[in-house]
Every structure is written in C-alpha cells, then in structure tokens.
Amino acid sequence: AMNKDKNYPDELTDKMHSEFSVSREIEISHKAGCVWESVAPNASREEIESKAFWYGITYDDVMRYKHEWLTAIRNSEDRYAK
C-alpha cells in the first residue's frame, strides 16, 4: 500500500536523491577497489585492463588507487584473520 501521509511523499525529492550520489572521482575510486578485490596485486596489465574495462574505468584509474586499495584490503584481511 502506498503511503498517503503528506509528511512522507511517495517520491524522493531532488535533495534526497543528491544525498545518495557520489562524485565521479569517488565512483572511480570505488570501481578501482572492485578491480583490486578481484585481481592479484601482481596481476598483469592485460588482466587489470580487462577488469577496468568491465567496470568502465581505465588502467590508469586502477593504478592511481593501487596503494590505497591494497592497503585497505590487507588491513581488512589482517583484522578478519584474528
């Protein structure tokens, strides 16, 4: 059933929608993180390029975030290993 309460409109406002959006650079960073989650740290350029293409980013985008994401992944694995 649809909520007919005037205090809770059925449609999100533009302001509400904007709160769910991220900048293009953050989107690239997150996609690069997905690539690093799915390849080995020493993966070949070809493998990285293939995954990057799948996520709609470039090899250079992925490499720009390599240190940040491999550090985050390593720290996460260390925490869960305990």
Side-chain angles (χ1 to χ4, degrees):
M2 299 287 270
N3 187 345
K4 296 301 178 194
D5 184 331
K6 65 183 167 85
N7 294 316
Y8 298 96
D10 292 330
E11 295 297 322
L12 292 174
T13 65
D14 287 341
K15 182 178 186 311
M16 290 173 173
H17 276 292
S18 71
E19 292 172 359
F20 296 119
S21 65
V22 296
S23 73
R24 175 73 180 134
E25 200 54 40
I26 290 173
E27 182 181 351
I28 290 169
S29 168
H30 290 175
K31 289 179 176 183
C34 292
V35 172
W36 288 117
E37 281 280 357
S38 64
V39 300
N42 61 347
S44 69
R45 181 181 179 113
E46 292 75 22
E47 185 178 1
I48 293 169
E49 284 178 337
S50 172
K51 296 281 186 183
F53 178 80
W54 196 87
Y55 283 103
I57 61 176
T58 68
Y59 173 82
D60 289 341
D61 291 332
V62 175
M63 297 310 289
R64 192 165 66 243
Y65 290 100
K66 180 176 183 174
H67 177 76
E68 177 182 336
W69 279 106
L70 291 182
T71 299
I73 292 164
R74 184 177 62 248
N75 289 343
S76 174
E77 290 169 348
D78 289 348
R79 186 172 67 244
Y80 290 116
K82 293 177 182 177

